[in-house]
Amino acid sequence: MNRPTPAADRPTISVVIPVKNDARLLARCLAALAAQTVTADEIIVVDNGSTDASATVALEAGAVVVPCAHLGIPAAAATGYDAASGDLILRLDADCIPEATWIAEMRAAFAARADVSVFTGGARFIDGPSALRTLLAAVYLATYTAFGAPALGHLPVFGSNLGFRRSAWRSIRTTAHRSDAELHDDLDLSYHFGEHHRIRALPAARMGISMRPFASGRGFARRMWRGVRTVVVHWPADLPPVRWQRLLRRRLRHHGAALPATPSGRVRR
């Protein structure tokens, strides 16, 4: 007689997509989500003040549309996370195209690593000069990691390809900066998730992303300024030496608590 699979092995999945005036690319993204080998239990499109057909496109695709009047990606994304009912919350952007196994890879990773609360995936460019797409995507992510990791003391998350447990979001939802449109929301999430949760890379969960944000020097400079500003906003409590020492002490305490004791009472290492 077959035993039913425990509910913990079948986590429900919510996908969150913030959008503002991106109806055409949103339709493409939603079509890619409909073609997943494992489909989401719900797709939440956060309408951040769109004046085009973004909300209509989302509704016609079967998504839940949640309005967010406070402009900016941090507010829109947080509104979507709050509305999500799934055990796992996956995040991408309206101009992204997830590979067909994206949700399946995320779900499998969480099932295999109960100790990990956040997985962040990789990316490839789907537009721009075709000969440079792979190289430029690798340089972009490497630059982001090289900037973020020393400030954080751990891997930063990439919001265009991100998955986390809803319980992890609920633990940081009141401390994350969600109302400042000029913060880099990926870095801000990294600060708050990394304080108490384990973040790991998931290269197998691949995502096609647009090169649009880097189409102009001004746009690129603004993203860089937001990144620097986000780091500074977390000071002095998260000055790198202060944060590194705090996280190290916490990890050592956790490691010591997890080590089994020998019959003599000593901790086995």
Side-chain angles (χ1 to χ4, degrees), residues 31-208:
L33 288 172
Q36 293 284 298
T37 57
V38 172
T39 55
D41 295 279
E42 66 177 1
I43 297 175
I44 297 173
V45 173
V46 184
D47 183 8
N48 199 206
S50 297
T51 56
D52 70 353
S54 293
T56 301
V57 165
L59 289 171
E60 290 178 348
V64 176
V65 175
V66 178
C68 176
H70 195 111
L71 297 182
I73 297 174
T79 297
Y81 306 152
D82 284 344
S85 62
D87 301 309
L88 305 178
I89 300 175
L90 309 187
R91 154 78 192 280
L92 74 167
D93 293 316
D95 57 3
C96 291
I97 303 179
E99 294 201 357
T101 57
W102 179 60
I103 293 178
E105 294 286 358
M106 282 285 188
R107 187 177 71 171
F110 281 107
R113 292 292 303 271
D115 60 318
V116 175
S117 297
V118 185
F119 280 105
T120 183
R124 59 181 178 82
F125 285 125
I126 52 179
D127 51 22
S130 57
L132 298 176
R133 290 176 185 176
T134 300
L135 174 62
L136 290 177
V139 170
Y140 166 55
L141 288 178
T143 301
Y144 174 53
T145 301
F147 170 79
L152 295 162
H154 54 77
L155 184 72
V157 306
F158 178 48
S160 296
N161 188 354
L162 178 61
F164 49 89
R165 301 184 191 275
R166 183 162 60 100
S167 57
W169 166 249
R170 292 181 67 84
S171 74
I172 69 165
R173 63 177 298 274
T174 60
T175 55
H177 295 78
R178 49 197 294 160
S179 60
D180 189 338
E182 292 305 313
L183 284 188
H184 192 293
D185 67 310
D186 298 3
L187 265 180
D188 187 63
L189 279 180
S190 300
Y191 271 104
H192 296 283
F193 275 139
E195 189 71 29
H196 297 286
H197 300 282
R198 185 167 293 173
I199 301 169
R200 290 293 181 267
L202 187 61
R206 292 179 291 184
M207 181 68 64

